[in-house]
Amino acid sequence: MTNMKPPLVLFIFISVSLEALPVSVTGDNVGAYHPTDDIAVDCGSNTSFLVGRRNWIGDAADSSDYSPNEKTHSSTAAEASSSSPSIPSAAPYLTARLSRSEFAYTFHVNAGPKFVRLHFFPSDYPNFRRVDSFFSVEAAGYTLLRNFSASHFADYSPSVGFFSKEFCLSVGEDQILKITLTPTPGNSDAYAFVNGIEVVSMPERLYYNAVIDSNEGIKFAGQTTPYTLDTTKALEAVKRLNVGGQYVSPAYDTGMYRTWEADDEYVTSSYTGVFSFNTTTQLNYGEQVPNYTAPDSVYTTARTMGTHKNINLSYKLTWSVVVDTNFTYLVRLHFCQCQMEINEPLDRVFKIFMNSQLVDADVISWSGKGVPVYRDFTVAPYDGGKKRTNLSVALGALLHGSTFYSDAILNGLEIFKISDPDRNLAGLNSDPTPPASKASSSLSKAAKIAVVAGGTSGFTVLSLLAFFLYRRRNRAKDSTSSDGTSRWGPVSHATTKSTKSRGSSLPSDLSRHFSLAEIRAATNNFDKVFIIGVGGFGNVYKGYVDGGATPVAIKRLNQGSQQGLHEFRTEIEMLSQLRHLHLVSLIGFCKDAGEMILVYDYMARGTLKDHLYNTDNPPLPWKQRLEICIGAAWGLHYLHSGAKHTIIHRDVKTTNILLNEKWVAKVSDFGLSKVGPTRESKTHVSTAVKGTFGYLDPEYYRRQRLTDKSDVYSFGVVLFEVLCARPAVSRMAPMEQISLAEWAQSCCKSGSVEEMVDPHLKGAIALECLNKFCEIAMSCLQDEGAKRPSMNDVVWGLNFALQLQVSTELEVKDHAGVSVHDSDDSDHDAASIRGSGSDEAINTSDSDSGGWKSSRETVTSTRAGSNDVCDESMTSYDSEKLP
Ligand SMILES: *[C@@H]1O[C@H](CO)[C@@H](O)[C@H](O)[C@H]1NC(C)=O
Ligand SMILES: *[C@@H]1O[C@H](CO)[C@@H](O)[C@H](O)[C@H]1NC(C)=O
Ligand SMILES: *[C@@H]1O[C@H](CO)[C@@H](O)[C@H](O)[C@H]1NC(C)=O
Ligand SMILES: *[C@@H]1O[C@H](CO)[C@@H](O)[C@H](O)[C@H]1NC(C)=O
Ligand SMILES: *[C@@H]1O[C@H](CO)[C@@H](O)[C@H](O)[C@H]1NC(C)=O
Ligand SMILES: *[C@@H]1O[C@H](CO)[C@@H](O)[C@H](O)[C@H]1NC(C)=O
Ligand SMILES: *[C@@H]1O[C@H](CO)[C@@H](O)[C@H](O)[C@H]1NC(C)=O
Ligand SMILES: *[C@@H]1O[C@H](CO)[C@@H](O)[C@H](O)[C@H]1NC(C)=O
């Protein structure tokens, strides 16, 4: 095995080994249900493809059982003209069946409820333009989609180019299931297409006629009249979330190939709660909630509220999903009470608010310990004349006295749209359902809506932004003003004790302890082919845990690494307390047999740097770059002022900004090099200047005073790197251009900014947006730290720049009738498979240090008391008080 990893080979290896991983975790219920009808059609393909254990049957082979019937025999089987790096497998996405006239598929299936999934990959196909798909889909007499534009949907949803729509409907005795696709009439370019169709049976009482116990059927939230979901209704799955857990792929469902998403992006409360894990828990499925209801991984992960009463009582843990109004929704909440300290009824009673209606919950008394249970509710969200609104589910704690623990729990959440009396599931038009998400994306969405509503008036946008940011800032302040205990409670003991001996003092310990055996299984005994990054500290591997359900990045510290046990503990302690959408999360650690291993969320798209000037990757469109910058700025803002103490990153650069599969930016590597006293010990940081050349704050360099403004400086360099798509230091460039920071400053001062802009972005950046962006980046590079903006100001400014871009594009669109479209992702290999921490020492280090390793070595700590020197961290406090 060589050190060079041909990315494609790596990719294939990983997919293969994912399938080969044993699925033998305790109580594992993967495949617990065997569907009687299990059909997967790869539309437009003349062969069959085995993906995982499923056979996707081509509909274009002469002998195919699933060839469509057509009114005019004019449908076309074709291959997509482009691919997308994120497509999980060729089948069913890379071929499609398309037609400008009606066509239909028929399925001879058993009677009973079925899942019908339609898979789409909107792309240009020979003779069919991506933007022209407008069509309706009917099945078994229900309208599933009407005048639906797949490209529009993909562009405005968080999907990554391809997506599927899942429906549930019941097929009667002797009924043939017919699925008809019809292009929207009156538009000669309109065509209908589909890439894949699945028909899979489901248990009779999974969603239909599900009864929990005799006196509780599905109820309108807060009302006592039961509602029957009988088989005359069809459902569309709107969202299916593994709360507090990870994405569960169809292969790891209970046999019905459902997809369970991670819930991070749908948590909209100011606090996102904490995760609780206990892999050793043996789940006991009862008769009411059989073992196929949801994967074990849904019931063994959850979110709870926090460890502090004042925090638990101060907020409601909330999930929001945007839905069409004028429909009724079925909301299923999954629970499983596995935590050690919760044993008796009344131990943990909480309230569930569903669009402001109220239900009391006491999971233990519903089902008992370790017994999965769910509750169904129906909600009819109404929001004036609006087409869409947020459907929200909120959990609230009760005061001590009404319950023993003021806390709440949720393990899983499913939301379905119920067909209306006209047997229709389609919204009013093809408008997409934008995702409800936090921080930057919901902000930009809110602002986009305001731009539309307020026409070209920028004022609406601004006041909306101001309000939003004001709110966020105050929330952040609230969290710092709690009393002396940590927000998320003690975690440090965990590093010295094994899982089994962790006492009851650590009930909601955030860091999961992995055994070395688990880590070895996850990485095939540290097989080199799993390496996704190499640094001074050791290797980073990609691995899968939880029986293959969860991809993770595993950082194995060199045995001989300078990093001592103390730093290892510090990182775990620090990271465990930091949970933010824009920070890479630490999942757990392993400290067996002298190993020091950290396990993080896997970031599918690697580093920001990879997407700026790595020619393996297609250039990122401008708006996406802006959104990534905004996300990273949020992450740093949280480090500086959202956590208990100011945390200075000290090594902000494009290799430390990682991207997940949905392009959400996450700041990484803020664990080992950070400043800020911990609760038990004061940390003293050597004053030797460390960091990465090219990003280094000159003031810090001169005065050796480290403040949060040093991160702001580095972030300014990142902004210019994003704008210009070139490294912070470029040795081969002409003298005056070697340092990006210097060159950028001189260009901005001489008004020749356009010279340095990434040629791929020529003409794509609105002038006002460019000016604003440069103004922010320049202010970050101010020589004097005190003159630089705070990260909060940077977030604010970048959002404003984004709005300037968006409103200019809307104006252009209004005036010219042209839609502003980001081009398709072009074909691309799997080079983006990198893990968190895939940080290579940049080979332009300054002489005394530079690179990853040495910057970590500078963290030293003493256990002495108050006499400790901690001037740098004090500086950072002082600076926070500056106006
Ligand atoms: C699921 O439950 C059924 C019936 O109780 C049982 O026969 C089956 O073995 C279980 N399957 C799994 C994977 O646990
Ligand atoms: C199947 O389709 C491919 C291209 O899509 C074509 O090259 C091949 O000849 C076809 N095979 C059969 C048996 O029709
Ligand atoms: C279909 O949707 C498009 C875009 O939303 C709209 O312009 C068109 O009028 C719609 N057609 C029908 C028949 O509703
Ligand atoms: C996990 O659950 C088992 C069984 O319920 C319990 O014995 C064990 O202490 C739990 N471990 C943790 C860390 O909560
Ligand atoms: C919802 O339904 C009501 C009554 O049918 C109708 O007046 C209203 O326009 C509908 N709202 C939307 C957004 O379609
Ligand atoms: C949903 O909520 C988010 C934030 O909570 C907000 O930004 C968005 O505008 C809401 N969407 C709708 C359609 O009300
Ligand atoms: C708040 O929630 C945590 C998290 O489970 C729980 O351990 C704690 O006891 C709760 N606080 C109070 C005061 O009940
Ligand atoms: C750094 O540069 C040296 C010599 O220029 C080279 O030998 C080494 O492989 C480079 N390291 C990296 C990580 O690129």
Side-chain angles (χ1 to χ4, degrees), residues 325-326 382 384-388 428:
T325 49
N326 276 11
Y382 174 77
K386 287 200 203 143
K387 288 178 190 155
R388 278 180 300 277
L428 277 183

Side-chain angles (χ1 to χ4, degrees), residues 325-361:
T325 49
N326 276 11
F327 283 94
T328 300
Y329 291 83
L330 167 64
V331 178
R332 173 168 291 184
L333 307 181
H334 295 265
F335 303 96
C336 184
Q337 198 60 274
C338 300
Q339 274 167 304
M340 227 162 10
E341 71 276 23
I342 314 288
N343 292 302
E344 304 284 336
L346 296 184
D347 271 358
R348 180 152 79 189
V349 184
F350 56 94
K351 289 186 182 302
I352 304 173
F353 301 82
M354 224 167 291
N355 276 30
S356 309
Q357 301 164 38
L358 187 69
V359 186
D360 276 325

